[in-house]
Amino acid sequence: MSATQPPADFNPYHKWLGIPEKKCPPTFYELLGISLDEEDRSVIESAAKRQRTHVEDYLGTEWNKFANQVISQIDEAELTLVNPELRREYDRKVSLFKKRRKNRQIDPYAPRRARPAGGKNNRVVGEGSGLLRDYAGIVSILAIAFFGMAAASFWLPWGKLQADPEQSEQVNEPPVEKKEVVVKAEEPPELQLGVGMEFKRLPAGTFVMGKKGNKSPNTLLHQVTISKPFDMGIHEVTQKQYEAIMGSNPSQYPGPDNPVDSISWHEANEFCQKLSARPEEKAAGNVYRLPTEAEWEYACRAGTSTVFCFGDEESLLGEYSWYKQTAQSTTHPVGKKKPNPWGIYDMYGNAYEWCHDWFEPYPSEPVTDPQGPETSRGRVLRGGGFSNSATFCGSGERAYVSPEINRHSYGFRVVRETASVQE
């Protein structure tokens, strides 16, 4: 791989995945290299894994930005095409997408600029072209350089001839004897209970879980009762907190207060077990675990029944969430967006959040404190991540993958059980 920076018009779909340039940017089907009528889940997952493998070699290199964007799109393509409802919605958009692509109006990896009226698009989509633009750019650079040199030639000599008053005074001062200062090293502070995580005690209650206007058993509306209060983490687990317990930080998007990312379900569960095993936590009667899927949605909805905790308007999501339209392809420090009505932050976007449950279709009858099946094809993820569109971030949206998978947007938050809650 070259050590030089990638050119501005670099096309990762064509270079890395072999997708013809005339089909770029690709549809989800073209991105995974499958036919429009492919419905076998294992085939779709295998295709996504294959394409992801081609791109992952470029993570951490000068091509990292492109690699993260393409992997995010592969993840979204996989989640969309294995979900019948999301796939039907996406299929309705494919014909419009192809029409726009034919006119070269879409480019997910190049900056978008206004297309010149009546001009031809000979470069990457969204970029203008033509000799006039190129000459104008060169003339602008030369003009800036000329005026810069003129200003420098005028001011620099005068600056050299004038003495700095502060320096003149310092020359006449006697030298100050330097004394060696010995600073005593402080002992590292002891970890706080729960490594400083904040919790909100949520009341017991009954709510309607699932997704409105959808008859699929995977998102079927049904009544759920949470029979006792529980303490929900106000924030996603941060990298600083994770490293304090686990001794390492696997995150691809560094930042001590960013949510820890690239975490598998097993790693999230191990964090809970290690934190719970600390002597001070045992003495306080604290046990930490992943929330059940029902607890997660109950906390996310915060007493609401709309698509999002703030209503049905997708246009407001950016006030509450770091998602595809606001995150700029990275995670962000927790707690910087608006909280939901119960004071819990980042339930939408930033990091996808693991839940305790194995995935299964919803029941039609009311249930109390559901825990999920004994085993299934994958563990549940909720809330969407920074690279996902609003479609994946609704209160009732579900996803599931194998618990061994640790993709770049996967994180978690925890529930704390205490003696006072259990009583």
Side-chain angles (χ1 to χ4, degrees):
M1 277 174 265
S2 171
T4 60
Q5 289 297 314
D9 59 352
F10 177 69
N11 186 337
Y13 307 114
H14 177 63
K15 295 292 185 182
W16 296 343
L17 302 179
I19 299 174
E21 289 188 337
K22 66 179 181 180
K23 290 188 175 183
C24 294
T27 65
F28 284 171
Y29 297 97
E30 293 163 341
L31 183 60
L32 300 189
I34 60 175
S35 64
L36 291 171
D37 57 357
E38 181 59 70
E39 296 181 354
D40 188 320
R41 183 186 184 94
S42 62
V43 172
I44 296 171
E45 291 177 341
S46 177
K49 182 177 181 180
R50 180 188 67 246
Q51 299 293 72
R52 201 177 290 112
T53 300
H54 291 319
V55 180
E56 285 175 345
D57 288 340
Y58 297 93
L59 290 171
T61 70
E62 68 270 24
W63 313 90
N64 189 67
K65 177 182 177 181
F66 293 104
N68 276 322
Q69 290 177 347
V70 175
I71 289 174
S72 296
Q73 290 164 8
I74 292 172
D75 289 346
E76 188 165 354
E78 179 184 3
L79 290 171
T80 298
L81 298 184
V82 299
N83 184 309
E85 295 76 32
L86 293 177
R87 181 170 180 163
R88 279 195 294 271
E89 182 179 346
Y90 176 75
D91 285 346
R92 287 195 292 268
K93 301 176 183 178
V94 169
S95 58
L96 176 61
F97 180 91
K98 288 185 174 181
K99 182 178 179 180
R100 292 176 64 200
R101 183 178 68 189
K102 183 178 180 181
N103 294 328
R104 313 306 272 175
Q105 295 172 339
I106 308 173
D107 181 15
Y109 51 83
R112 298 189 179 187
R113 300 178 186 172
R115 189 180 182 188
K120 293 183 179 180
N121 238 342
N122 295 324
R123 299 183 65 184
V124 177
V125 184
E127 296 286 339
S129 63
L131 292 175
L132 180 60
R133 183 205 60 219
D134 294 334
Y135 286 138
I138 294 171
V139 170
S140 299
I141 293 171
L142 292 175
I144 292 170
F146 173 81
F147 286 113
M149 288 187 293
S153 65
F154 180 81
W155 290 107
L156 285 178
W158 291 101
K160 291 181 179 178
L161 293 174
Q162 296 173 356
D164 186 342
E166 294 184 3
Q167 292 180 354
S168 300
E169 294 174 4
Q170 292 173 1
V171 169
N172 299 324
E173 292 179 358
V176 179
E177 182 181 354
K178 295 183 179 180
K179 296 182 179 180
E180 185 177 353
V181 179
V182 178
V183 179
K184 185 178 180 181
E186 296 182 359
E187 295 183 0
E190 293 184 2
L191 289 178
Q192 297 174 290
L193 284 178
V195 287
M197 292 187 291
E198 298 179 71
F199 292 86
K200 179 68 177 288
R201 181 154 300 178
L202 304 183
T206 299
F207 74 110
V208 176
M209 186 173 180
K211 188 176 174 182
K212 282 184 178 180
N214 199 306
K215 296 182 179 180
S216 167
N218 291 339
T219 52
L220 185 68
L221 291 174
H222 62 293
Q223 181 176 293
V224 175
T225 297
I226 304 296
S227 65
K228 60 182 181 182
F230 64 99
D231 293 347
M232 187 70 160
I234 291 177
H235 303 297
E236 296 164 322
V237 175
T238 66
Q239 296 176 29
K240 177 172 59 179
Q241 292 162 348
Y242 185 87
E243 188 169 3
I245 299 301
M246 304 297 284
S248 62
N249 178 15
S251 301
Q252 292 188 32
Y253 307 96
D257 296 320
N258 288 23
V260 64
D261 65 72
S262 306
I263 295 294
S264 70
W265 183 93
H266 292 302
E267 290 167 328
N269 191 54
E270 184 182 3
F271 171 89
C272 296
Q273 292 174 343
K274 285 189 173 183
L275 179 57
S276 301
R278 295 180 65 85
E280 60 270 27
E281 301 292 350
K282 287 185 174 182
N286 295 334
V287 176
Y288 300 89
R289 60 174 175 81
L290 295 175
T292 67
E293 186 179 16
E295 288 171 336
W296 191 97
E297 186 168 330
Y298 181 66
C300 179
R301 290 192 176 280
T304 67
S305 59
T306 46
V307 175
F308 304 103
C309 67
F310 50 83
D312 294 326
E313 292 299 323
E314 182 181 313
S315 60
L316 299 177
L317 182 59
E319 298 179 20
Y320 295 81
S321 168
W322 296 110
Y323 74 116
K324 188 174 183 178
Q325 301 303 318
T326 60
Q328 298 181 331
S329 300
T330 185
T331 59
H332 293 263
V334 300
K336 299 302 182 182
K337 294 288 188 176
K338 289 182 178 179
N340 73 5
W342 284 354
I344 303 177
Y345 294 83
D346 299 305
M347 293 298 278
Y348 309 121
N350 222 1
Y352 242 128
E353 298 180 20
W354 286 108
C355 293
H356 161 80
D357 311 39
W358 288 98
F359 178 88
E360 69 174 341
Y362 285 150
S364 57
E365 67 278 0
V367 291
T368 299
D369 298 327
Q371 302 287 317
E374 291 297 321
T375 187
S376 181
R377 291 181 292 182
R379 296 279 188 175
V380 174
L381 286 160
R382 284 303 205 107
F386 69 87
S387 60
N388 294 113
S389 63
T391 304
F392 294 87
C393 297
S395 299
E397 296 296 338
R398 314 173 74 196
Y400 66 93
V401 297
S402 171
E404 291 81 20
I405 300 297
N406 58 351
R407 290 177 190 154
H408 69 289
S409 61
Y410 294 177
F412 65 105
R413 74 176 70 223
V414 302
V415 165
R416 180 183 64 189
E417 293 182 349
T418 64
S420 60
V421 172
Q422 293 171 357
E423 291 172 1

